[in-house]
Amino acid sequence: MSNLPHPVVTETAYLTLHYRLASVTGTNIVSTFADNPATLQMGKGQLAPFLEACLIGLEEGVHQTFELPPERAFGPRNPELIRPVSIATLEQNSGPTEDYAIGDLVEFAAPGGGQFAGVLREINHETAVFDFNHPLAGQSLQFEVKIIGIM
């Protein structure tokens, strides 16, 4: 038996783990526990920064659940991110043949080449109202993790 300390997760660690992100009521948003574990490198954007922050310092073999309030997850909902978009802009973005329904997630081309998405909340013949908040903004989340291996 060796007395070496267990490896711990660092900002650049390469690790294998099971993880589950769920609502506070326990509804899974994403989970690897029923399938193969995930292998990822910390600091490469494979997990959201706030999830990576939970992992820093955990030892190999740890199985832990974190309760994350909105401020430590996807942030509070921002009413300023609920915006009207003209139907003309919507058609330019997607084409006039698209049929939209309330609740649809629509991607828009951002100035500078990126993309952003919003959920359609209202639509009439002149404007559509989109919510550009992250779909999980304002929600408390559970983050369960089991660290299998750290390289």
Side-chain angles (χ1 to χ4, degrees):
M1 281 299 279
S2 106
N3 281 344
L4 292 173
H6 286 290
V8 299
V9 178
T10 63
E11 282 89 350
T12 58
Y14 190 71
L15 56 138
T16 300
L17 74 163
H18 273 299
Y19 67 92
R20 180 177 80 99
L21 192 62
S23 67
V24 285
T25 59
T27 303
N28 282 356
I29 296 161
V30 63
S31 176
T32 67
F33 280 93
D35 289 319
N36 294 325
T39 300
L40 57 90
Q41 183 163 5
M42 296 284 285
K44 297 291 185 192
Q46 294 167 286
L47 282 180
F50 68 87
L51 297 177
E52 284 195 353
C54 294
L55 301 178
I56 301 293
L58 294 184
E59 288 189 354
E60 195 171 84
V62 165
H63 189 167
Q64 189 169 342
T65 300
F66 298 88
E67 303 287 333
L68 302 174
E71 301 72 40
R72 282 190 55 210
F74 288 97
R77 291 189 56 72
N78 180 349
E80 291 179 23
L81 293 178
I82 299 171
R83 311 292 298 213
V85 174
S86 73
I87 295 301
T89 299
L90 188 58
E91 287 178 355
Q92 269 180 335
N93 183 70
S94 62
T97 57
E98 284 284 341
D99 258 341
Y100 293 106
I102 301 300
D104 282 354
L105 184 67
V106 178
E107 290 197 349
F108 290 86
Q115 289 214 312
F116 60 99
V119 175
L120 181 62
R121 295 290 181 219
E122 301 170 29
I123 190 167
N124 61 40
H125 62 281
E126 289 176 18
T127 58
V129 175
F130 283 90
D131 182 348
F132 293 106
N133 282 286
H134 188 284
L136 298 174
Q139 292 188 37
S140 294
L141 301 172
Q142 292 177 346
F143 180 49
E144 179 184 4
V145 62
K146 180 174 185 181
I147 307 293
I148 296 167
I150 302 171
M151 278 97 14

